[in-house]
PDB file of all heavy atoms in Angstrom:
ATOM      1  N   LYS F   2     -78.035 -22.144   3.381  1.00 43.00           N
ATOM      2  CA  LYS F   2     -76.729 -22.275   3.949  1.00 43.00           C
ATOM      3  C   LYS F   2     -75.710 -22.787   2.914  1.00 43.00           C
ATOM      4  O   LYS F   2     -74.503 -22.452   2.917  1.00 43.00           O
ATOM      5  CB  LYS F   2     -76.736 -23.099   5.279  1.00 43.00           C
ATOM      6  CG  LYS F   2     -77.529 -22.411   6.372  1.00 43.00           C
ATOM      7  CD  LYS F   2     -77.518 -23.280   7.557  1.00 43.00           C
ATOM      8  CE  LYS F   2     -78.250 -22.678   8.776  1.00 43.00           C
ATOM      9  NZ  LYS F   2     -78.224 -23.424   9.991  1.00 43.00           N
ATOM     10  N   ASP F 123     -26.262 -10.538 -21.253  1.00 84.00           N
ATOM     11  CA  ASP F 123     -26.639 -10.334 -19.893  1.00 84.00           C
ATOM     12  C   ASP F 123     -25.465 -10.160 -18.935  1.00 84.00           C
ATOM     13  O   ASP F 123     -25.624  -9.983 -17.692  1.00 84.00           O
ATOM     14  CB  ASP F 123     -27.582 -11.397 -19.477  1.00 84.00           C
ATOM     15  CG  ASP F 123     -27.067 -12.813 -19.570  1.00 84.00           C
ATOM     16  OD1 ASP F 123     -25.831 -12.922 -20.099  1.00 84.00           O
ATOM     17  OD2 ASP F 123     -27.775 -13.780 -19.370  1.00 84.00           O
ATOM     18  N   LEU F 292      11.148   0.399  -6.137  1.00 80.00           N
ATOM     19  CA  LEU F 292      11.127   1.205  -4.891  1.00 80.00           C
ATOM     20  C   LEU F 292      11.014   0.316  -3.671  1.00 80.00           C
ATOM     21  O   LEU F 292      11.731   0.578  -2.708  1.00 80.00           O
ATOM     22  CB  LEU F 292       9.889   2.194  -5.112  1.00 80.00           C
ATOM     23  CG  LEU F 292       9.731   3.271  -3.959  1.00 80.00           C
ATOM     24  CD1 LEU F 292      10.966   4.233  -3.982  1.00 80.00           C
ATOM     25  CD2 LEU F 292       8.488   4.029  -4.104  1.00 80.00           C
ATOM     26  N   SER F 350       6.334  -7.855  -0.614  1.00 69.00           N
ATOM     27  CA  SER F 350       5.535  -8.485  -1.567  1.00 69.00           C
ATOM     28  C   SER F 350       4.156  -8.125  -1.527  1.00 69.00           C
ATOM     29  O   SER F 350       3.460  -8.034  -2.675  1.00 69.00           O
ATOM     30  CB  SER F 350       5.718 -10.115  -1.403  1.00 69.00           C
ATOM     31  OG  SER F 350       7.020 -10.444  -1.518  1.00 69.00           O
ATOM     32  N   LEU F 368      -7.157 -17.855  -5.914  1.00 43.00           N
ATOM     33  CA  LEU F 368      -7.780 -18.698  -4.989  1.00 43.00           C
ATOM     34  C   LEU F 368      -8.098 -20.126  -5.535  1.00 43.00           C
ATOM     35  O   LEU F 368      -7.998 -21.109  -4.955  1.00 43.00           O
ATOM     36  CB  LEU F 368      -9.156 -18.056  -4.379  1.00 43.00           C
ATOM     37  CG  LEU F 368      -8.917 -16.915  -3.577  1.00 43.00           C
ATOM     38  CD1 LEU F 368     -10.375 -16.244  -3.183  1.00 43.00           C
ATOM     39  CD2 LEU F 368      -8.261 -17.338  -2.297  1.00 43.00           C
ATOM     40  N   ARG F 427      34.087 -21.618  10.480  1.00 87.00           N
ATOM     41  CA  ARG F 427      35.490 -21.141  10.206  1.00 87.00           C
ATOM     42  C   ARG F 427      36.345 -22.199  10.878  1.00 87.00           C
ATOM     43  O   ARG F 427      36.473 -22.439  12.033  1.00 87.00           O
ATOM     44  CB  ARG F 427      35.737 -19.803  10.936  1.00 87.00           C
ATOM     45  CG  ARG F 427      37.074 -19.205  10.607  1.00 87.00           C
ATOM     46  CD  ARG F 427      37.432 -17.870  11.280  1.00 87.00           C
ATOM     47  NE  ARG F 427      37.793 -18.089  12.645  1.00 87.00           N
ATOM     48  CZ  ARG F 427      37.110 -17.571  13.733  1.00 87.00           C
ATOM     49  NH1 ARG F 427      36.001 -16.764  13.616  1.00 87.00           N
ATOM     50  NH2 ARG F 427      37.513 -17.734  14.923  1.00 87.00           N
ATOM     51  N   THR F 442      22.375 -30.579  10.726  1.00 82.00           N
ATOM     52  CA  THR F 442      21.623 -31.135  11.798  1.00 82.00           C
ATOM     53  C   THR F 442      21.307 -32.634  11.702  1.00 82.00           C
ATOM     54  O   THR F 442      20.915 -33.237  12.712  1.00 82.00           O
ATOM     55  CB  THR F 442      20.129 -30.423  11.918  1.00 82.00           C
ATOM     56  OG1 THR F 442      19.534 -30.549  10.549  1.00 82.00           O
ATOM     57  CG2 THR F 442      20.357 -28.987  12.091  1.00 82.00           C
ATOM     58  N   SER F 574      71.309 -44.749  18.641  1.00 45.00           N
ATOM     59  CA  SER F 574      72.517 -43.983  18.265  1.00 45.00           C
ATOM     60  C   SER F 574      72.295 -42.486  18.739  1.00 45.00           C
ATOM     61  O   SER F 574      71.148 -42.033  18.628  1.00 45.00           O
ATOM     62  CB  SER F 574      72.703 -43.976  16.722  1.00 45.00           C
ATOM     63  OG  SER F 574      71.473 -43.441  16.092  1.00 45.00           O
TER      64      SER F 574
END
Side-chain angles (χ1 to χ4, degrees):
K2 292 181 179 180
D123 54 2
L292 187 63
S350 301
L368 290 176
R427 188 181 79 238
T442 55
S574 59

